[in-house]
């Protein structure tokens, strides 16, 4: 998660995007939604790894008979261990140049950097051999099946006729400037996602988005939506039974499509 696309990174980024889409439902602003988070915020895998015989085979979550958890099931504890910080979700608006700036920051130090982005609603190609700040080449919006719906950048060139505004969902830590992200500089209309499915009033950019006394001013009796709850809601909506269980396997970097490292694969 600190250097390439992962299936868990995709899953939790998609869950955050789904939360914002629900909150924006009926406003007319839910068409172009991009989700990004830092790989360093994912603290543990969901599942297990077998090292028998010197291998590193990835296996489904193990059963816990004491709690009635079956093999392959995802428990609240699994989610809490993985997303241990339970950062709160924030939405803001930016343009295509702002999106590119966020992605450039995500790949400016590589590999094994906590800032490395895990993304939803967007795919991009990048070249680690280019100077930091000019590594992002292609950027496209994608649908839930990974198909390109709108090209924003092609070989580093901003495309004509694209929308002026995109809705972004991220963690309040990153919205506040954590891990070097310039969210406040390139974004506007910052709002918290609330656990009642709505958005808070616009939050003053001059404030600390992570400060408890600031947060309390914008909740209006509700609680902020955290990334743990967002993942739980998403899993219960789309993957609640064995028949519809999440089954997207992790791949090698050469087969990653959402985040394409051009030192290991060709650009599609």
């Amino acid at each position: 998660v600190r250097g390439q696309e992962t299936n868990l990174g995709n899953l939790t980024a998609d869950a955050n995007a789904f939360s914002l889409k629900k909150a924006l439902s009926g406003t007319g602003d839910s068409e172009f939604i991009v989700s990004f988070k830092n790989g360093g915020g994912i603290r543990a895998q969901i599942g297990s790894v077998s090292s028998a015989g010197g291998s590193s085979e990835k296996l489904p979550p193990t059963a816990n008979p004491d709690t009635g958890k079956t093999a392959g099931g995802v428990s609240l504890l699994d989610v809490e261990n993985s997303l241990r910080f339970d950062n709160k979700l924030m939405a803001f608006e930016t343009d295509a140049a702002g999106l590119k700036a966020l992605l450039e920051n995500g790949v400016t130090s590589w590999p094994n950097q906590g800032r490395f982005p895990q993304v939803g609603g967007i795919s991009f190609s990048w070249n680690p051999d280019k100077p930091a700040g000019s590594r992002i080449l292609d950027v496209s919006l994608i649908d839930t099946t990974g198909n390109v719906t709108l090209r924003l950048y092609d070989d580093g060139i901003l495309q004509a006729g694209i929308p002026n505004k995109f809705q972004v969902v991220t963690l309040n830590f990153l919205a506040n400037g954590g891990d070097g992200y310039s969210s406040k500089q390139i974004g506007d209309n910052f709002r918290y996602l609330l656990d009642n499915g709505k958005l808070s009033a616009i939050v003053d950019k001059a404030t600390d988005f992570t400060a408890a006394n600031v947060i309390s001013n914008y909740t209006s009796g509700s609680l902020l939506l955290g990334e743990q709850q967002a993942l739980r809601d998403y899993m219960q909506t789309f993957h609640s039974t064995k028949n519809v269980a999440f089954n997207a396997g992790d791949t090698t970097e050469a087969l990653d499509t959402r985040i394409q490292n051009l030192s290991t694969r060709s650009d599609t």
Side-chain angles (χ1 to χ4, degrees):
V1 295
R2 292 171 177 257
Q4 69 180 87
E5 176 185 341
T6 68
N7 58 355
L8 178 54
N10 290 348
L11 178 64
T12 179
D14 287 347
N16 295 348
F18 178 67
S19 296
L20 178 56
K21 185 174 183 178
K22 288 192 298 181
L24 291 170
S25 177
T27 68
D29 282 331
S30 59
E31 184 176 2
F32 306 114
I33 293 178
V34 173
S35 172
F36 82 95
K37 61 185 299 178
N38 57 328
I42 300 174
R43 309 303 294 178
Q45 75 275 8
I46 293 179
S48 56
V49 179
S50 171
S51 57
S55 68
S56 57
E57 181 183 5
K58 297 176 181 179
L59 301 172
T62 55
N64 186 346
D66 292 339
T67 63
K69 177 188 173 186
T70 58
V74 177
S75 68
L76 175 59
L77 181 61
D78 290 328
V79 174
E80 290 176 342
N81 280 336
S82 180
L83 306 179
R84 201 163 302 162
F85 299 141
D86 196 24
N87 290 282
K88 308 311 173 187
L89 301 186
M90 291 196 80
F92 64 91
E93 298 169 358
T94 191
D95 58 12
L99 292 178
K100 185 174 183 293
L102 295 172
L103 297 176
E104 289 284 8
N105 177 71
V107 299
T108 193
S109 298
W110 178 84
N112 198 29
Q113 284 288 312
R115 73 175 68 189
F116 190 85
Q118 300 290 324
V119 298
I122 197 169
S123 66
F124 66 92
S125 65
W126 68 291
N127 187 342
D129 296 328
K130 288 185 173 293
S134 60
R135 291 176 171 172
I136 301 295
L137 296 180
D138 286 9
V139 182
S140 295
L141 299 187
I142 58 173
D143 62 20
T144 56
T145 59
N147 294 315
V148 171
T149 59
L150 184 65
R151 298 184 187 278
L152 306 182
Y153 282 86
D154 184 22
D155 288 334
I157 300 173
L158 180 65
Q159 301 299 285
I162 60 175
N164 295 321
K165 181 179 71 174
F166 301 90
Q167 300 286 347
V168 180
V169 60
T170 191
L171 314 180
N172 61 337
F173 167 69
L174 302 179
N176 199 55
D179 275 351
Y181 281 96
S182 59
S183 304
K184 287 185 176 182
Q185 287 71 45
I186 56 87
D188 290 297
N189 295 332
F190 287 83
R191 296 142 292 164
Y192 292 108
L193 275 69
L194 306 178
D195 68 345
N196 62 4
K198 298 181 180 180
L199 293 168
S200 75
I202 294 175
V203 186
D204 186 346
K205 284 202 289 188
T207 61
D208 181 349
F209 294 157
T210 65
N213 63 320
V214 171
I215 290 172
S216 64
N217 293 333
Y218 294 91
T219 53
S220 301
S222 300
L223 297 176
L224 299 190
L225 180 68
E227 54 182 338
Q228 291 179 4
Q229 183 64 52
L231 180 56
R232 289 157 56 192
D233 291 346
Y234 186 82
M235 293 287 282
Q236 289 170 345
T237 300
F238 295 105
H239 304 297
S240 60
T241 69
K242 290 184 178 180
N243 290 336
V244 292
F246 180 80
N247 63 355
D250 239 341
T251 65
T252 64
E253 194 171 36
L255 297 177
D256 288 343
T257 57
R258 197 174 292 195
I259 301 176
Q260 299 187 12
N261 181 342
L262 300 187
S263 68
T264 62
R265 60 156 299 143
S266 59
D267 189 339
T268 61

